[in-house]
Amino acid sequence: MNKYIVEFIGTFFLVLTVGCTGIGAGAGVIAPLAIGAALMVMVFAGGHISGGHYNPAVTLGVLIRGKVKPSDVVPYWIAQFLAAAIAAFLVIKVLRVGASVTAIAPKMGPALLAEFLFTFALVYVVLNTATAEGTSGNSFYGLAIGMTVMTGAFAVGDISGGAFNPAVALGITVMGISSWNNIWMYLVADLVGGVVAAIIFNMVNAQVSPITSD
């Protein structure tokens, strides 16, 4: 149960940050930086307990990697999606109540590709920094993961909304930042991106040999 609570807390604050910086925020707020930082600190805070996924696509990738029990996947997803929905409601009903929200109108092809590419990048980074034998026990994985999301948000946020996370997609949909008609795009692109990243990680790491000195 502790793992699921941690996943709830981390996803909650991630989506809360997305909402509070994306709706009614002042011009001085740099949303991608705040969102990347929120993810980073939550990964550092909960990574040792749950793995710090906070993202159903990451959980799916870690499952394929073999570093999460199959029996944990659905509870992780429930915690992540529930946290996203509650955070979204808190933003629109309390923290940013009355603020105007204009839904994004992404072009489907570019948006699908953008979400796929940066979800792939995110899951690839998670697997290599937080689950790989060669980086075991490192102290940088939270920073690497948060910076990946920040980079993606800066790079393609104006193309797709920069979710890279089905739970975040639910959150921005509940908040009205994205239309319900578009949620399938995030679910498909992000989950496929996570699967492909895990498959490639497994292929590449299966061929990595330990470096030995002569």
Side-chain angles (χ1 to χ4, degrees):
M1 182 59 69
N2 290 345
K3 294 180 290 187
Y4 313 144
I5 292 171
V6 167
E7 285 296 308
F8 179 94
I9 292 171
T11 309
F12 175 86
F13 280 102
L14 173 60
V15 175
L16 191 77
T17 304
V18 170
C20 286
T21 57
I23 297 175
V29 175
I30 304 175
L33 181 58
I35 294 163
L39 179 58
M40 175 187 71
V41 297
M42 285 299 150
V43 169
F44 277 129
H48 64 293
I49 298 173
S50 71
H53 300 177
Y54 317 137
N55 182 335
V58 170
T59 300
L60 183 58
V62 176
L63 172 68
I64 295 170
R65 163 74 174 96
K67 288 295 185 177
V68 66
K69 295 178 181 178
S71 60
D72 279 333
V73 172
V74 171
Y76 268 47
W77 283 1
I78 291 172
Q80 292 158 359
F81 281 117
L82 182 62
I86 292 174
F89 276 113
L90 186 60
V91 169
I92 59 175
K93 298 299 184 183
V94 180
L95 298 175
R96 298 295 189 193
V97 63
S100 61
V101 183
T102 302
I104 60 175
K107 294 182 179 178
M108 198 56 60
L112 277 167
L113 181 59
E115 285 293 312
F116 169 81
L117 289 175
F118 277 95
T119 306
F120 170 91
L122 173 60
V123 177
Y124 183 75
V125 168
V126 169
L127 296 178
N128 276 286
T129 60
T131 76
E133 299 286 338
T135 54
S136 141
N138 72 82
S139 61
F140 59 75
Y141 68 105
L143 179 60
I145 294 165
M147 288 289 286
T148 305
V149 168
M150 184 196 73
T151 301
F154 275 124
V156 299
D158 61 331
I159 297 173
S160 70
F164 322 132
N165 181 335
V168 169
L170 174 63
I172 63 174
T173 303
V174 170
M175 289 184 278
I177 297 173
S178 180
S179 164
W180 284 102
N181 292 332
N182 294 330
I183 195 167
W184 71 269
M185 173 188 76
Y186 297 105
L187 297 178
V188 171
D190 296 351
L191 292 174
V192 171
V195 169
V196 174
I199 291 171
I200 291 180
F201 172 87
N202 286 340
M203 289 172 55
V204 171
N205 281 269
Q207 299 175 21
V208 173
S209 301
I211 298 174
T212 57
S213 58
D214 293 333

